Amino acid sequence: MSILVAENLSKVYGSRLGKRYEALRQFNLTVEKGEFIAVMGPSGSGKTTLLNLLSSIDTATSGKITINGSAITSFSKNKLAKFRRKNMGFIFQDYNLLDTLTIGENILLPLTLNKVKVSEMKNKLSTISKQLGIGSIIDKRTFEVSGGQMQRTAIARALIHDPAIIFADEPTGNLDSKASLQVMESLSTLQKVSKTTTVMVTHDPFAASFSGRVVFIKDGKLFNEIHRGDNRQTFFQDILNVQSLLGGNTDDLQTIRF
Ligand SMILES: Nc1ncnc2c1ncn2[C@@H]1O[C@H](COP(=O)(O)OP(=O)(O)OP(=O)(O)O)[C@@H](O)[C@H]1O
Ligand SMILES: [Mg+2]
């Protein structure tokens, strides 16, 4: 069953000042239920644009998006906000945690917004924080934990309301290799266990190798896509090979950290 279908998706930025830029061109994508896909491509190729449209953070110039059978591109703002809260989970590069709340309170936010019972919230928090290896830090504040722990908190928050689909933009972008490994192992295991569908944008071939399919974008258009076999190491090598075919500096910003 397809959980996400994007048809002829286009995005044109900034027509007011006369300069138009077509960041996404007639893009098509179908994602099956339970799939974990990665979106890769050179800087400026349209990855974040695509993710923002699919996740309804931004609106498409033209085209249609169907999620879980609903054509969200024709939803009103209000309906969209409700749909998003119930059906989507988000993970960002800079975690987007609230520093006035504890780790546990951050994880519970989607349930608080959906008015779930306190006893049920406690159970869910306990289960998911243990699964992610952050059970011992739920009473800490964000500034008392590591980047990897913050990102695992964000993963817990993205998953706690059992969303149909999770959107992640560069989830390992701020992490060192050890924390990246933990975060990607957690994300891929949990998304399998909960049968959630995940769409992840990344520059990082290592992170992408945890997915089941990598979609490569170039100049706002599909360049290629590859599927994973049994072996993650082999898939990692395949990803590197397509990246070199893609040309350009696929990870030009990756090595420069300010
Ligand atoms: N709000 C905006 N207004 C005008 N142009 C934009 C805007 N956002 C993005 N663009 C342009 O659209 C193109 C695609 O940008 P996008 O952020 O989707 O790229 P990306 O693939 O995510 O790149 P990166 O890997 O650097 O994050 C770029 O040329 C960018 O300059
Ligand atoms: Mg981006």
Side-chain angles (χ1 to χ4, degrees):
M1 186 190 122
S2 305
I3 193 141
L4 183 154
V5 182
E7 295 162 90
N8 297 319
L9 219 51
S10 294
K11 178 70 182 178
V12 178
Y13 285 117
S15 47
R16 218 177 304 146
L17 296 171
K19 276 211 163 181
R20 288 164 46 88
Y21 185 80
E22 196 173 15
L24 210 60
R25 301 159 196 223
Q26 304 275 308
F27 198 89
N28 293 299
L29 180 69
T30 300
V31 182
E32 300 303 317
K33 186 170 167 28
E35 246 198 300
F36 179 4
I37 82 154
V39 178
M40 300 189 82
S43 186
S45 57
K47 303 181 296 296
T48 296
T49 301
L50 174 66
L51 200 76
N52 288 349
L53 298 186
L54 297 179
S55 62
S56 74
I57 288 175
D58 198 2
T59 50
T61 308
S62 61
K64 182 178 173 189
I65 301 166
T66 310
I67 292 182
N68 227 354
S70 300
I72 63 163
T73 26
S74 58
F75 276 9
S76 69
K77 260 198 172 157
N78 230 332
K79 200 169 172 193
L80 198 53
K82 277 192 196 131
F83 183 87
R84 195 190 294 133
R85 218 155 60 199
K86 184 164 178 289
N87 294 286
M88 298 180 186
F90 293 92
I91 302 166
F92 300 96
Q93 176 169 357
D94 49 6
Y95 327 122
N96 277 19
L97 301 177
L98 298 177
D99 55 16
T100 51
L101 303 180
T102 64
I103 294 299
E105 287 164 345
N106 268 286
I107 295 173
L108 286 172
L109 262 183
L111 297 186
T112 316
L113 295 172
N114 286 334
K115 302 196 177 81
V116 172
K117 272 198 259 160
V118 175
S119 57
E120 190 185 335
M121 287 208 273
K122 277 190 180 157
N123 283 338
K124 286 202 158 183
L125 176 61
S126 158
T127 307
I128 203 161
S129 59
K130 277 186 202 131
Q131 282 172 325
L132 285 161
I134 48 175
S136 61
I137 58 159
I138 54 172
D139 293 322
K140 292 202 173 183
R141 303 288 284 277
T142 54
F143 48 83
E144 297 173 301
V145 308
S146 71
Q149 288 170 327
M150 283 204 269
Q151 197 56 301
R152 279 180 283 153
T153 302
I155 293 171
R157 183 185 56 183
L159 279 157
I160 198 154
H161 59 306
D162 300 317
I165 190 159
I166 294 173
F167 295 102
D169 197 352
E170 305 278 3
T172 59
N174 284 335
L175 303 176
D176 61 28
S177 52
K178 187 171 161 234
S180 291
L181 174 65
Q182 285 177 339
V183 159
M184 289 317 301
E185 278 181 339
S186 313
L187 182 59
S188 58
T189 307
L190 267 192
Q191 88 103 39
K192 270 194 209 104
V193 170
S194 60
K195 301 190 173 64
T196 313
T197 308
T198 303
V199 179
M200 171 182 77
V201 161
T202 186
H203 271 105
D204 181 1
F206 175 74
S209 71
F210 284 83
S211 74
R213 169 164 62 125
V214 181
V215 171
F216 293 88
I217 307 187
K218 189 178 186 179
D219 301 327
K221 286 186 289 209
L222 179 73
F223 176 75
N224 197 350
E225 67 172 24
I226 54 173
H227 289 261
R228 174 173 160 178
D230 297 333
N231 187 305
R232 192 177 61 75
Q233 253 70 38
T234 315
F235 194 41
F236 176 70
Q237 195 54 53
D238 293 344
I239 294 168
L240 294 180
N241 291 344
V242 178
Q243 278 198 314
S244 66
L245 272 178
L246 248 177
N249 231 339
T250 43
D251 53 2
D252 28 26
L253 293 174
Q254 181 92 329
T255 45
I256 312 164
R257 295 258 166 86
F258 298 100

